[in-house]
Amino acid sequence: MRREPKFDVGGPNRELRADPQDRLVGNEETERRAAKAARTRARAAKPAAQPQSRTGSKKRRHRSLIGGLAYWSVVLGLWAAIAGIALLAWVAAHLPPIQSLEVPRRPPSIQIAGTDGRILTVRGDSGVSAKLKELPPHVPQAFIAIEDRRFYSHFGVDPIGIARAALANVLRRGVSQGGSTITQQLAKNLFLTQDRTYTRKLQELVLALWLEYKFTKDEILELYLNRVYFGAGAYGVEAAAQRYFGKHARHTSVPEAAMLAGLVRSPSRLAPTRNPDGAERRAQVVISAMSDSGFISDKTAKTAIAQPARALKQKTTGSINYVADWIMDVLDDLVGRVEDDIVVETSIDPALQLFAEQALTEELAMRGGKLGVEQGAIVAMSPDGAVRAMVGGRDYAESQFNRAVAAKRQPGSAFKPFVYLTALERGLTPDTIREDRPVTVKGWRPENYTREHYGPVTLTQALALSLNTVAVRLTLEFGPAAVIRTAHRLGIASKLEPNASIALGTSEVSVLEMVSAFAVFANNGMAIAPHVVERIRSKDGTVRYQRRPQSLGQIVEPHHVAMMNTMMQETLLTGTGRRADLMGRPAAGKTGTSQDFRDGWFVGYTAQLVTGVWLGNDDSSPTKKMTGGNLPSDIWARFMKNAHRNLPVASLPGVHGGIALPYPVSQSYGHMTASGPGDRPVPPGAIPGRATQVPATRSDGMDSWLLDRLLGRR
C-alpha cells in the first residue's frame, strides 16, 4: 500500500525549513559553521586534559640546551682542529726542510789531563756510549717509568701529558711544565735551544713526529740515553755511570739506575756528589714509578729503597771546572775549531789543585762568615808561568764566574812592590831613608793603617810595614806614569790610572795578573807568559799543538830582583805578612787591603812556586775588617806548606841561604817580636837598636853589601 507524505510532523507549529545538513550545496559561511560545530562536539566528547607538567618542560629545555652545547662544541672543536693544523703547518714551515734534517754528530770529546796524565774533567761529549741491547732491562725501564710511561704506545707526542701540562701552565700563568715525551726531549737536545717558550715547544712537537717517522722506538731510546745530560759534565748514561759509580752502565744496579734516571729533571741540583740526600729522595720516586709500571716487583722495590745507591767520593770537586772554562776560551786560538775528540795535556798538578781548593773552601767555611767574606780565588804557578792550580770561587756549581781570571779588584798595598821596584831601578836601595810623615796631594791625605807616623824609615821597613805615606812619596818622586810602566812591564795588563793613589793599589787588576807579575821576582827577572796548555793531541796520538819553551827576555836586572826579594822576605819575617811565614823555608810576598776592607790579598812566592790569594764579596761590599795579613795570609800559608811538602828548601834569587838583609837593620829586625792583628805593623821605634845609617851606594844604584854578595865575598 502506498504511503503519502505527511506534513504535520512536529505539530502544527513546526517550521517548514530545510535542515542545513540536508542541503546538497551550501555557501562558505555555512561550511565554516558546520566545521566549528563538529570540533566543539569532538572536544565535548573527550575527557578533560590534565595540566602540563612543569618538570617535563624543564627536561625538554635541558635537552635543548645540551643539544645546543653539543652542536657548538663540535663546531668549535672543528675550528680548533683547523687552527691547530694551521699553526703546526706554520711552525713546520719555519723549521729547516725536514728532508735536510739529520741527527747531528756527537759533539767532540775534550778530555783535560793533569801533569800525571790522569783525566781531570771532560768537556763536550764524553766520547763513550752505551748500546741499548747491552744494558740490563731495568736501566731503560727506569727512564721510561719516570719520564714517559706511554713511550712505546704513543706516536711521539702524548696528548694526555700535553693536556695535563697545559692545564698546569694556565693555572700558573707561565710555562711551568713541559709534558714532554722522551722523543720530544730528544728533539730538544738534538735540534733546539733550552728556552721554555710556546714557539720552541711547538717546534719540539713537530720534530718529535719526524723522529718517530724516521727511527724505531728502540733507536730513539738509545739516542736519548746517550745524549741526555746528567750533571757534573757527564753526557750520556755510560759517562754518568762511570762518573758517579765508577762502573759501566751495563753493570749498574736497580738503585743506581733509578738515581741516574732521577737526575734528568734537574742534573745540577740533584747531582749525588753535591746533593746526596736530594738524589736519594728522587731515586725513591723513580723506584716507586718502576713498581707502579710493573717493571719491578714490590719486593725488588723495597730492597732498592732500603739499599740506596751511593756515589763515589770524588778526589777533586768542581774547582777544576774553572780551569776547564779557561782552557775552552783559549782552545780556538791554539788549534782552531774542534770537530774531533782531543786530549788537552795541561800544567795543572792534581794534588796542588786539591790543596788549593781545600784551603780556600774550608777556611771560608770556618771563618768567612765571621769576617763577612763570601768569595775568594787562588792562582798558583811555577816561576816560568805554568799554572799549577786555579780556583775561581768557593763553589763552581753555584757560580761559574772565574774570579781568578775575569774579576778585576783593587789590590791595595799588594801593588806597592811595583812602586819600590821603580824606586830601586832609579838609584835607591833597600836602606834608603824616606820620611814617614803626613802628605797631602790636591786635598787627598793618605793615612797609614795605624794612623801613626814614625819619621825616618828605610825602604825595607816602609815596605814590610806597608806604610802608605812612603809609597805615595815615592810615587810622587818618580811619577805615577813610571810606576805604571813598571807594572805593565812585569805583566799587569789592566788599565791603570796615572795618579798618586796608584801607589795604594786603587786601579783594578786580576789575580792571574798579580801572580804573573810577582813570578818575575821568583825567576830572577825574566818575563813570562802565564799558560796552562802544554800539548793537544788527537785520540790517535796526532799532536795538534805543542808548547815550545819561550825566552821572553830579561825585564828586571838580577841585582834589583835580589833587593826586592830581600825586602819582601822581610814582610813575612817581621812585617804585615808574618802569618804567611813558612817557618824556615825562604819565601817573600806582600799583603794587600783595599779601602773599607773590601778586598784582602796575599801574593807571595818561593823559588819553586808563586801563589796569589784574593778574598772579598762579589758585590764589593765591605768585609768585617778582613785584611790581607789575616785570612788571605792564612790560606796562602796553608796551601804553600802542603805544596812544598816534598820539595827541597831553595833560596830566593839573590838571597843566598835564605838570609835576609845581612846588614845591621836586618839583624835588629830579626830579633824583634811582633804581635797584633792582621796588617797592623810594628812601629819602627819598637825595633831595638834600629839602624838609620844608609850604607854607601854606588853610582849605578847597587849597594856595596849587595855587590859583595853577588861576587861571593859575603
Side-chain angles (χ1 to χ4, degrees):
M1 182 176 69
R2 175 181 169 191
R3 290 183 178 183
E4 297 295 333
K6 295 179 180 181
F7 298 100
D8 58 351
V9 178
N13 298 324
R14 188 181 189 279
E15 188 174 355
L16 297 177
R17 193 163 45 189
D19 192 308
Q21 297 179 5
D22 296 333
R23 295 179 182 178
L24 298 179
V25 179
N27 56 34
E28 294 180 359
E29 179 64 23
T30 301
E31 291 177 356
R32 283 196 297 271
R33 289 177 180 175
K36 182 177 180 181
R39 288 194 299 272
T40 301
R41 288 192 298 270
R43 284 196 298 270
K46 291 181 179 180
Q50 297 297 323
Q52 187 174 5
S53 172
R54 183 177 301 177
T55 303
S57 177
K58 287 184 178 180
K59 287 182 178 179
R60 283 196 296 273
R61 288 198 298 271
H62 184 64
R63 286 195 296 269
S64 177
L65 179 61
I66 292 176
L69 289 175
Y71 170 78
W72 285 110
S73 296
V74 172
V75 172
L76 293 176
L78 289 174
W79 279 110
I82 294 171
I85 294 172
L87 182 61
L88 290 178
W90 180 86
V91 172
H94 287 78
L95 287 172
I98 293 295
Q99 62 271 17
S100 70
L101 285 176
E102 294 182 2
V103 173
R105 291 181 57 192
R106 175 181 59 80
S109 168
I110 302 172
Q111 297 183 338
I112 298 174
T115 53
D116 59 358
R118 289 194 303 111
I119 302 301
L120 301 175
T121 188
V122 178
R123 286 301 170 92
D125 196 280
S126 66
V128 292
S129 59
K131 299 294 184 183
L132 187 63
K133 61 183 180 181
E134 297 176 354
L135 295 173
H138 59 255
V139 173
Q141 287 170 353
F143 290 86
I144 292 173
I146 197 64
E147 291 295 321
D148 188 1
R149 294 190 186 186
R150 290 179 286 275
F151 172 70
Y152 279 104
S153 61
H154 62 61
F155 50 90
V157 178
D158 184 2
I160 297 176
I162 291 178
R164 183 183 65 251
L167 178 61
N169 295 337
V170 169
L171 294 176
R172 292 169 175 79
R173 298 184 179 181
V175 183
S176 62
Q177 291 188 16
S180 295
T181 64
I182 283 177
T183 312
Q184 287 175 266
Q185 293 181 47
L186 178 62
K188 177 180 65 177
N189 291 337
L190 292 179
F191 303 109
L192 302 173
T193 67
Q194 300 299 314
D195 295 338
R196 304 187 72 180
T197 62
Y198 288 109
T199 300
R200 203 272 299 149
K201 195 68 179 176
L202 290 171
Q203 292 174 332
E204 174 187 298
L205 188 149
V206 173
L207 290 171
L209 297 176
W210 176 80
L211 285 172
E212 290 278 344
Y213 169 78
K214 185 78 172 178
F215 301 98
T216 67
K217 286 288 187 180
D218 284 351
E219 288 173 335
I220 290 172
L221 186 57
E222 184 173 299
L223 277 171
Y224 172 82
L225 291 175
N226 285 297
R227 293 299 182 93
V228 70
Y229 182 57
F230 290 90
Y235 287 86
V237 68
E238 176 67 18
Q242 294 187 25
R243 173 71 175 81
Y244 294 122
F245 308 121
K247 61 176 68 174
H248 293 292
R250 62 179 179 271
H251 296 147
T252 53
S253 63
V254 170
E256 290 168 342
M259 183 168 285
L260 292 178
L263 293 179
V264 174
R265 170 183 287 185
S266 182
S268 297
R269 183 175 61 85
L270 295 175
T273 51
R274 181 172 181 266
N275 183 7
D277 292 337
E280 183 177 332
R281 288 194 297 270
R282 178 64 175 166
Q284 292 175 356
V285 174
V286 177
I287 292 170
S288 297
M290 294 174 71
S291 178
D292 294 342
S293 301
F295 292 139
I296 59 175
S297 66
D298 291 342
K299 180 180 179 181
T300 302
K302 291 179 180 178
T303 303
I305 291 176
Q307 300 174 357
R310 291 286 184 265
L312 294 176
K313 185 177 181 180
Q314 304 299 310
K315 293 183 179 180
T316 60
T317 54
S319 69
I320 192 62
N321 287 296
Y322 291 113
V323 179
D325 288 347
W326 188 36
I327 290 173
M328 297 300 291
D329 288 341
V330 303
L331 207 53
D332 187 66
D333 295 333
L334 299 178
V335 295
R337 181 182 176 86
V338 178
E339 297 182 347
D340 300 312
D341 297 347
I342 60 173
V343 177
V344 180
E345 298 176 3
T346 72
S347 58
I348 296 296
D349 184 322
L352 297 190
Q353 183 70 25
L354 179 59
F355 290 150
E357 181 179 293
Q358 290 177 336
L360 180 67
T361 58
E362 292 178 8
E363 292 293 333
L364 282 178
M366 289 188 296
R367 301 162 58 193
K370 182 178 180 180
L371 290 173
V373 182
E374 295 182 354
Q375 279 296 347
I378 298 179
V379 173
M381 69 172 62
S382 59
D384 64 355
V387 176
R388 300 300 184 195
M390 174 183 286
V391 182
R394 69 187 300 173
D395 190 339
Y396 182 85
E398 291 183 357
S399 172
Q400 291 77 52
F401 180 62
N402 191 337
R403 296 156 188 83
V405 175
K408 299 291 183 73
R409 304 297 292 245
Q410 291 184 352
S413 295
F415 193 84
K416 288 177 181 176
F418 307 127
V419 176
Y420 284 84
L421 177 60
T422 302
L424 296 180
E425 290 180 334
R426 283 156 179 77
L428 276 59
T429 73
D431 277 339
T432 298
I433 299 295
R434 285 295 181 269
E435 288 287 332
D436 174 28
R437 54 185 174 83
V439 59
T440 302
V441 182
K442 297 181 179 179
W444 173 56
R445 184 170 180 172
E447 295 282 352
N448 293 327
Y449 179 83
T450 61
R451 299 188 181 277
E452 298 180 71
H453 300 282
Y454 308 113
V457 293
T458 65
L459 297 192
T460 300
Q461 292 172 323
L463 180 59
L465 303 176
S466 201
L467 301 180
N468 290 336
T469 59
V470 176
V472 171
R473 288 183 182 279
L474 291 174
T475 299
L476 294 174
E477 185 174 344
F478 301 106
V483 174
I484 290 174
R485 286 194 297 270
T486 298
H488 284 163
R489 172 162 45 101
L490 268 63
I492 300 297
S494 297
K495 181 181 179 181
L496 304 175
E497 296 297 333
N499 49 49
S501 68
I502 191 69
L504 307 185
T506 54
S507 290
E508 297 176 337
V509 296
S510 72
V511 181
L512 182 64
E513 288 177 290
M514 290 294 287
V515 175
S516 301
F518 274 60
V520 176
F521 302 127
N523 68 22
N524 207 27
M526 303 298 295
I528 62 105
H531 61 276
V532 69
V533 178
E534 298 290 351
R535 188 168 72 146
I536 301 174
R537 56 180 172 83
S538 302
K539 283 295 187 67
D540 60 5
T542 303
V543 177
R544 299 184 57 179
Y545 169 81
Q546 178 71 57
R547 187 179 180 278
R548 304 296 179 189
Q550 295 177 310
S551 178
L552 302 179
Q554 191 90 33
I555 56 174
V556 179
E557 293 298 323
H559 61 278
H560 292 138
V561 172
M563 292 179 183
M564 288 299 302
N565 286 343
T566 302
M567 295 168 70
M568 282 198 283
Q569 186 174 7
E570 200 64 26
T571 300
L572 274 67
L573 295 176
T574 61
T576 58
R578 295 182 301 280
R579 289 165 69 161
D581 184 16
L582 298 184
M583 305 303 292
R585 184 179 295 272
K590 185 69 187 75
T591 59
T593 308
S594 67
Q595 188 174 12
D596 297 327
F597 305 98
R598 298 176 189 275
D599 306 272
W601 294 72
F602 190 86
V603 187
Y605 52 93
T606 64
Q608 295 107 328
L609 198 62
V610 188
T611 300
V613 176
W614 166 83
L615 300 179
N617 297 315
D618 286 339
D619 60 0
S620 293
S621 59
T623 65
K624 298 176 182 178
K625 294 191 176 182
M626 174 199 64
T627 67
N630 50 46
L631 189 53
S633 294
D634 291 341
I635 292 174
W636 185 91
R638 172 176 170 172
F639 168 74
M640 293 292 274
K641 288 174 182 177
N642 284 325
H644 288 80
R645 192 176 294 167
N646 299 316
L647 297 179
V649 175
S651 299
L652 295 171
V655 188
H656 300 288
I659 301 174
L661 286 176
Y663 55 97
V665 66
S666 171
Q667 295 168 5
S668 60
Y669 251 50
H671 292 291
M672 64 174 281
T673 58
S675 62
D679 281 324
R680 183 179 178 88
V682 177
I687 304 173
R690 176 173 60 88
T692 57
Q693 182 178 358
V694 182
T697 303
R698 290 162 47 92
S699 59
D700 60 0
M702 183 181 296
D703 290 342
S704 58
W705 66 267
L706 180 57
L707 178 61
D708 289 342
R709 289 181 60 185
L710 293 175
L711 294 175
R713 295 199 292 258
R714 293 199 180 196

